[in-house]
Amino acid sequence: MADGEAAQQGARQSTLRASNLGLVLRTVCAADRPPSRADVAARTGMTRATAARLVDALVAGGLLAEGERDPLPRRGRPGTPLLAGGRVAALGLQVDAGLLAARVLDLRGRVLAERLEDGDWVGSEPGPTLERLGRLAATVLAGVPAGVRLAGAGLALPGIVDAGRGVLLRAPNLGWHDVAPAAVLAPSLPAGLHPLLGNEADLAARTVAETAPGRAGPHRDFLYVSGQIGVGGAVVLDGQVMRGSAGWAGEVGHVCVDPAGPACRCGSTGCLEQYAGRHALLAAAGLPRDASPEVLLDNAAAGDPRAGAALDGARRALAIALAGVLNVLDIPTVVLGGHLGRLAAVLRPGLEDDLAVRVLSARWRRPRIEAAGADAAPAATGAALHTLAGVLADPVGWLD
Ligand SMILES: [Zn+2]
């Protein structure tokens, strides 16, 4: 064989090995129960010897770990269960008008360290707010166990972002526009760690579609509605967040439900978030804007007419906006997050009835409303998941 051919063959083999390492890692991460080396071979179509060799390399590199063997196997010799490793992690950051969050998530989906800070950053200055987030991130990173490597960082922002340029173009409720957060955060972060920007609702939706890095959640097709100070949204089809042509899809909070309605911070009128956003709902119920959604529920349960009317107004506005999305996109499920998730039990019956009337296909498949989990900062987790997806796609660079 000529030298050139040998070099080419070597390159092909190393590319093949790299892609097989990724396949084995993703197979273990995707499994509901920890698989054995034999399970990995069966699921990937590799020989047992090849699968075992690749697993060993990933275990040695800390991307996979071996669990305890089952002492009482149902049949045959027990295989060693394989888990995603805990030595590679990502930093997820989130800025919302009512919350700052920093969280470190490992490849197994465990939170290694986190800090959440409630506050009111409506109409805030970007510089000091991001510096505050940087200090939060530095504190969190100082709490990460030794030996854990950071694969990267992500930053969730409540507005439209240009991820390629790393610029937040506009976040109506923060009152920010044309902000480049990386430069402000850099002094607080390890050298070379540049957060990837993403939209808050897109990243929060990711935690419903992907319950741990590489593991699919219970829903593949859904609309996620993020109840924050405003209302964000993300469309997820076949487990993937729909980006749209520029990455700006899903802004259901700025769907107009009544052109004669109140002015919105975005410049339009009668947007969904003017009825279902947290501040709007609380104001309509005669509550201060730092009141919790549970106070609203208590007041409504006690027969307070303003609380009841506020919830009715939010439900009617949601029905109009959501029916539009469901009719256009053929989506069976809406997942409510943030304060809307906390109000879901009260909103669900009337909202599902309204959608059954407004969605053309409801006769054959009634739209369902579900509540997201209780996590106050799902977009911080989503930002970390987004970063760890890069490790799952190409793990070779992360092997020791
Ligand atoms: Zn608006």
Side-chain angles (χ1 to χ4, degrees), residues 199 201-202 223-224 231-235 242-244 247-254:
N199 170 267
D202 287 359
L223 170 67
Y224 184 90
V231 172
V235 173
M242 195 183 99
R243 295 186 70 256
W248 303 332
E251 290 293 350
V252 69
H254 298 283

Side-chain angles (χ1 to χ4, degrees), residues 44-56:
T44 56
M46 294 174 192
T47 65
R48 284 197 182 205
T50 302
R53 211 166 43 242
L54 295 167
V55 165
D56 291 343

Side-chain angles (χ1 to χ4, degrees), residues 28-328:
V28 173
C29 287
D32 291 331
R33 261 190 292 257
S36 65
R37 285 169 172 76
D39 294 331
V40 171
R43 287 172 205 175
T44 56
M46 294 174 192
T47 65
R48 284 197 182 205
T50 302
R53 211 166 43 242
L54 295 167
V55 165
D56 291 343
L58 290 163
V59 170
L63 293 176
L64 288 182
E66 294 181 318
E68 296 286 316
R69 284 187 189 197
D70 182 355
L72 294 169
R74 273 163 299 176
R75 57 190 153 79
R77 198 162 60 90
T80 304
L82 299 167
L83 305 153
R87 274 159 43 197
V88 172
L91 173 67
L93 302 171
Q94 181 178 352
V95 175
D96 183 67
L99 174 83
L100 300 179
R103 176 175 278 170
V104 174
L105 195 77
D106 74 5
L107 211 48
R108 207 179 294 172
R110 296 174 301 187
V111 174
L112 301 183
E114 70 171 358
R115 281 284 182 102
L116 274 60
E117 192 177 323
D118 287 325
D120 189 342
W121 288 282
V122 173
S124 64
E125 283 294 322
T129 308
L130 289 167
E131 282 165 13
R132 198 174 181 122
L133 179 70
R135 288 194 293 277
L136 211 62
T139 310
V140 165
L141 290 175
V144 172
V148 173
R149 288 181 298 162
L150 268 194
L155 169 58
L157 294 161
I160 56 173
V161 300
D162 183 335
R165 287 197 303 130
V167 175
L168 169 66
L169 298 175
R170 187 163 182 214
N173 289 300
L174 290 172
W176 298 4
H177 62 89
D178 302 301
V179 177
V184 187
L185 291 169
S188 307
L189 299 179
L193 193 69
H194 304 294
L196 298 169
L197 304 196
N199 170 267
E200 175 271 324
D202 287 359
L203 293 168
R206 195 168 180 134
T207 65
V208 177
E210 190 181 2
T211 50
R215 184 171 315 148
H219 301 296
R220 304 303 288 159
D221 302 295
F222 59 94
L223 170 67
Y224 184 90
V225 182
S226 173
Q228 302 293 334
I229 302 302
V231 172
V235 173
V236 177
L237 296 173
D238 197 22
Q240 303 293 318
V241 175
M242 195 183 99
R243 295 186 70 256
S245 61
W248 303 332
E251 290 293 350
V252 69
H254 298 283
V255 167
C256 177
V257 298
D258 179 5
C264 182
R265 280 180 174 269
C266 74
S268 182
T269 55
C271 295
L272 171 63
E273 74 172 41
Q274 294 308 314
Y275 305 88
R278 184 167 170 162
H279 282 177
L281 246 172
L282 293 169
L287 290 165
R289 70 189 203 178
D290 60 350
S292 84
E294 284 71 25
V295 174
L296 172 60
L297 288 178
D298 288 347
N299 288 1
D304 175 358
R306 291 185 73 183
L311 286 168
D312 281 348
R315 191 205 73 233
R316 274 198 301 272
L318 281 164
I320 294 169
L322 300 185
V325 177
L326 270 49
N327 271 324
V328 170

